[in-house]
Amino acid sequence: DGGITQSPKYLFRKEGQNVTLSCEQNLNHDAMYWYRQDPGQGLRLIYYSQIVNDFQKGDIAEGYSVSREKKESFPLTVTSAQKNPTAFYLCASSVSRQPQHFGDGTRLSIL
Amino acid sequence: GQQLNQSPQSMFIQEGEDVSMNCTSSSIFNTWLWYKQDPGEGPVLLIALYKAGELTSNGRLTAQFGITRKDSFLNISASIPSDVGIYFCAGQPEAGNMLTFGGGTRLMVKP
């Protein structure tokens, strides 16, 4: 089945550590997105990519980095510069102006 | 970044009751989307609206694209326990793929 796969489902980060969240899609979508969701809040855009080897900052990009080396993959790194990383992270993809489809998320916590 | 004003923030209703929620914006959107998020999962698209004044149904769900293009409404008829979750609206402008999300409406249904 086509879809968006995020891994791992749960992730723990130690102080000063960088962690990488995986997002893979087999929908052949050009655009991919990363959102952060805090308890009781809506979705805030971290980074997005419209095509391979190109990406743009969203509203809350500080402390995060991304790469887009392949069409189907858009990993997100939460760096040690992100002082409040505990959140639910959602990856999405879309084609043209069609609605975005979401993965099942990764929950990141601090040890 | 801008967020849409979504209300109510939460609702606790009896099974069988009808539910209404809405989103308003100071900006015009060309597309309105409604998503549902179950606990620990990613949002799933319920209804997409593409034309001002459009009324679209999906089973017990009905959504409308406001005539001013600055608001949208979602109604759920005869609620059941599996309707529990968070409902998000999202608006897409005329140009680009970016979505602006509402803060969500948390729906709780009492059997």
Side-chain angles (χ1 to χ4, degrees):
Chain A
D1 286 347
I4 301 171
T5 301
Q6 290 189 240
S7 62
K9 184 70 174 173
Y10 300 95
L11 187 59
F12 297 90
R13 195 191 89 169
K14 295 179 181 178
E15 291 286 340
Q17 185 182 42
N18 293 352
V19 292
T20 297
L21 285 61
S22 170
C23 179
E24 303 276 332
Q25 54 99 359
N26 60 4
L27 301 168
N28 200 32
H29 286 175
D30 292 309
M32 298 186 73
Y33 314 81
W34 274 105
Y35 293 91
R36 170 178 172 141
Q37 185 177 28
D38 292 287
Q41 307 257 338
L43 280 63
R44 292 184 291 169
L45 184 64
I46 305 172
Y47 268 99
Y48 64 98
S49 169
Q50 306 276 31
I51 57 172
V52 174
N53 292 322
D54 185 56
F55 49 82
Q56 306 295 330
K57 292 182 179 180
D59 299 321
I60 55 165
E62 186 174 350
Y64 300 97
S65 65
V66 293
S67 62
R68 187 84 187 279
E69 297 176 1
K70 298 186 296 182
K71 186 176 185 178
E72 57 271 21
S73 178
F74 191 40
L76 173 74
T77 296
V78 183
T79 74
S80 56
Q82 172 50 247
K83 298 306 179 186
N84 184 24
T86 298
F88 191 51
Y89 291 88
L90 287 161
C91 178
S93 69
S94 70
V95 61
S96 186
R97 284 179 53 78
Q98 295 302 305
Q100 293 177 20
H101 293 267
F102 288 84
D104 278 340
T106 292
R107 186 167 300 281
L108 176 62
S109 302
I110 296 296
L111 280 178
Chain B
Q2 176 198 5
Q3 274 214 330
L4 302 177
N5 296 314
Q6 186 171 350
S7 65
Q9 286 188 325
S10 63
M11 302 180 73
F12 190 29
I13 63 170
Q14 192 76 36
E15 182 178 359
E17 288 184 354
D18 296 344
V19 172
S20 292
M21 59 191 78
N22 70 84
C23 270
T24 60
S25 169
S26 56
S27 304
I28 289 174
F29 290 110
N30 266 39
T31 299
W32 281 94
L33 307 171
W34 285 92
Y35 289 88
K36 183 194 178 197
Q37 184 179 28
D38 290 327
E41 299 185 9
V44 173
L45 182 68
L46 298 173
I47 292 179
L49 302 159
Y50 298 103
K51 187 177 177 182
E54 179 181 356
L55 188 71
T56 297
S57 293
N58 178 6
R60 292 179 296 105
L61 277 62
T62 301
Q64 184 162 23
F65 192 141
I67 196 70
T68 65
R69 295 166 62 193
K70 292 184 178 181
D71 56 8
S72 180
F73 307 86
L74 176 69
N75 295 316
I76 305 173
S77 63
S79 59
I80 60 178
S82 62
D83 290 335
V84 166
I86 303 175
Y87 292 80
F88 289 101
C89 62
Q92 186 176 33
E94 183 174 3
N97 296 340
M98 295 303 104
L99 296 180
T100 300
F101 284 87
T105 295
R106 182 180 295 272
L107 179 63
M108 293 160 280
V109 179
K110 183 178 181 181

